[in-house]
Amino acid sequence: MPRLPDLQAAFSAALTDPDAAVPEGVTAPRGGRADKRFAVYRNNVTVSLVGALEDTFPAIARLLGDEYFTALAREYVRAKRPSSPFLAEYGEDFGDFLDAFPPLAGYPYLGDVARLEHAWLSAYHAADAAPLDPARLTAISESDVGDVRFTLHPALRMVQSRWPILQLFEANRTGEGKPPADLSSGGESVLVTRPVLDVTLSRLAPGASYFLNALAEGSTLGAAAGKAFENASEFDLAQALQAALAAGAFADIRMPD
Amino acid sequence: MSEKNTRYRKIEIPARAGVGLKAQHYRDVLEGAPDIGFFEIHAENYMGAGGPPHAYLSAIREFYPLSLHGVGLSIGSHGALDKDHLARLKAIESRYEPGLFSEHLAWSTHDTAYYNDLLPVPYDRETLARVCDHIDEVQDTLGRRMLLENPSTYVAFEQSTMSELDFLREIVRRTGCGLLLDVNNVYVSAVNHETSPEDYLDSFPVEHVGEIHLGGHAPDIDDEGRPLLIDAHDRAVDNAVWGLYDRLLQRAGALPTLIEWDNDVPQWAVLAGEAAAAERMLAGVAQGTTVHAATA
Ligand SMILES: [Fe+2]
């Protein structure tokens, strides 16, 4: 008779392995075969986790079609179980899984679209904070402004891509069923924010992701602008700052010591 | 939506009908202000730091008693409870001051992998000790008594040495926890194990019950072609379950009763109709019945 740890090890291993036998000691009433009975648990696990992925990645499901998505999600579930009961965190590396899935090699943008969908959900559940009032910045004297630092909003996320992922995301999340966007339209870096309740996506201008990343790491406004210019000569500081403020990218501002 | 320092007054769950709160119904509840005894939430749906789930729940919590129901604590695991999960549960409990907290006699986590289903445990001494240790830890962490829910199961274990009822009674005796009696689970398990749901209910230790669950199940068949019921929570409460509920109320008196409908969630009016049906039956027994001390 297996002890509890062995029983649960065998039971859990068989849950995501369709070829595994019913674990020893698991029976129907009066000791009959329990294959179909055990399959109820197996089915519950797979269907509920596939459903969780479908909830998190509706644009991917739409791009691939329900049938293909379900088969793919089953593969993912077999490879990877959630590490916590907070299922909004499940599928964090679904984008990497798509990138590495050989049959999808002809669809190289899927991984980035998945990362954007996960970032959307992560922003949705992120901590609440009031977005920075732009007046706080305009009140700072010109001689000091280069030395201020920002606290980024807790819901801010960024996803960079060589593909037009914002167009792909929007075309496949809204109910209009548009065909995939023109892939030759160039890459998009997307800013994800949630200033109050609604998650908002906006396209980042050239250099803006370097700028915001530098601010996130604690650089001053001046240093972050320098970093952005180094990487994108067309970087427009006033425009980037204005767009970030409007999107609710910041929660607070810190004056030089 | 910025962090309001609201402290809710803990409101006891009344002996009325409540419903499981679904995101699809947030607006119906806030705009329609329906007369519902209480709302129950799955703790796992509110484990993010902020955002719309908390905004809506906070607004609803202003007007209704709240019951907190965990689905992922894995009390029946051989392995230790997930400390991070327990901490998040404690944070929700402190934030919303629910009238009660309940969890399942089941496991869902093994070696850090979460299976998102309520898996069955064998009823033996080793498992009993484990479950009791975990309930002690939960009750110590939350600083309150919890209710443990009877499971619906599809398989049996050769190693079980006790009946489910003896197992539950012993847990209550050792830990001081209360019980959540899910009447649909009673029926599902009785059909699946070819036992009598009436006998089970008639000997259930109702003096420890703080809440009742009612929900819908889906019919299937097993390997031998015999009926196998699935605890699907995807439809209305079955007539057989309403009958058992009536029988239970005659013996136990009115108790807080939750309608669970988690999949294929219907329009608000349909769910409210189920709650109204339970409420009519509760009203029928509310007068002159035994008093219960079990609403933790
Ligand atoms: Fe239940």
Side-chain angles (χ1 to χ4, degrees), chain B residues 70-94:
Chain B
V71 299
L73 201 48
S74 203
I75 280 174
S77 274
H78 172 75
L81 295 181
D82 177 343
K83 298 286 182 286
D84 293 342
H85 188 69
L86 200 49
R88 286 189 287 205
L89 186 65
K90 173 70 184 165
I92 295 171
E93 194 264 355
S94 305

Side-chain angles (χ1 to χ4, degrees), chain B residues 104-240:
Chain B
H104 300 84
L105 176 57
W107 61 288
S108 48
T109 296
H110 183 72
D111 269 355
T112 76
Y114 176 65
Y115 288 88
N116 200 32
D117 193 29
L118 298 165
L119 303 168
V121 295
Y123 301 137
D124 61 9
R125 292 278 144 195
E126 184 186 18
T127 311
L128 179 68
R130 211 69 194 168
V131 166
C132 289
D133 286 349
H134 288 160
I135 291 175
D136 287 343
E137 187 180 353
V138 173
Q139 295 188 137
D140 288 348
T141 304
L142 298 183
R144 63 157 78 204
R145 181 173 180 237
M146 65 164 280
L147 305 180
L148 186 69
E149 178 172 349
N150 61 297
S152 54
T153 57
Y154 312 112
V155 299
F157 294 97
E158 280 172 10
Q159 72 202 77
S160 288
T161 53
M162 308 167 74
S163 72
E164 185 171 291
L165 280 177
D166 285 343
F167 196 80
L168 288 169
R169 275 194 203 95
E170 189 59 16
I171 291 169
V172 169
R173 194 186 66 78
R174 291 194 194 183
T175 67
C177 75
L179 296 170
L180 190 169
L181 175 49
D182 186 317
V183 180
N184 182 59
N185 289 356
V186 170
Y187 184 67
V188 165
S189 290
V191 168
N192 290 349
H193 298 281
E194 300 175 20
T195 56
S196 158
E198 290 85 3
D199 288 355
Y200 184 100
L201 271 188
D202 291 351
S203 44
F204 200 90
V206 287
E207 65 277 15
H208 299 297
V209 173
E211 186 186 349
I212 296 170
H213 272 182
L214 301 173
H217 57 254
D220 201 348
I221 49 163
D222 79 349
D223 293 288
E224 327 278 329
R226 291 174 302 199
L228 183 68
L229 300 183
I230 315 295
D231 180 32
H233 294 186
D234 63 348
R235 64 194 69 195
V237 177
D238 191 82
N239 276 336

Side-chain angles (χ1 to χ4, degrees), chain B residues 36-73:
Chain B
I36 290 290
F38 65 100
F39 284 100
E40 183 158 294
I41 58 161
H42 287 180
E44 287 70 15
N45 291 337
Y46 297 88
M47 289 197 165
H54 286 291
Y56 283 110
L57 180 58
S58 300
I60 290 167
R61 177 66 181 85
E62 303 266 348
F63 302 104
Y64 295 94
L66 187 72
S67 161
L68 182 62
H69 187 54
V71 299
L73 201 48

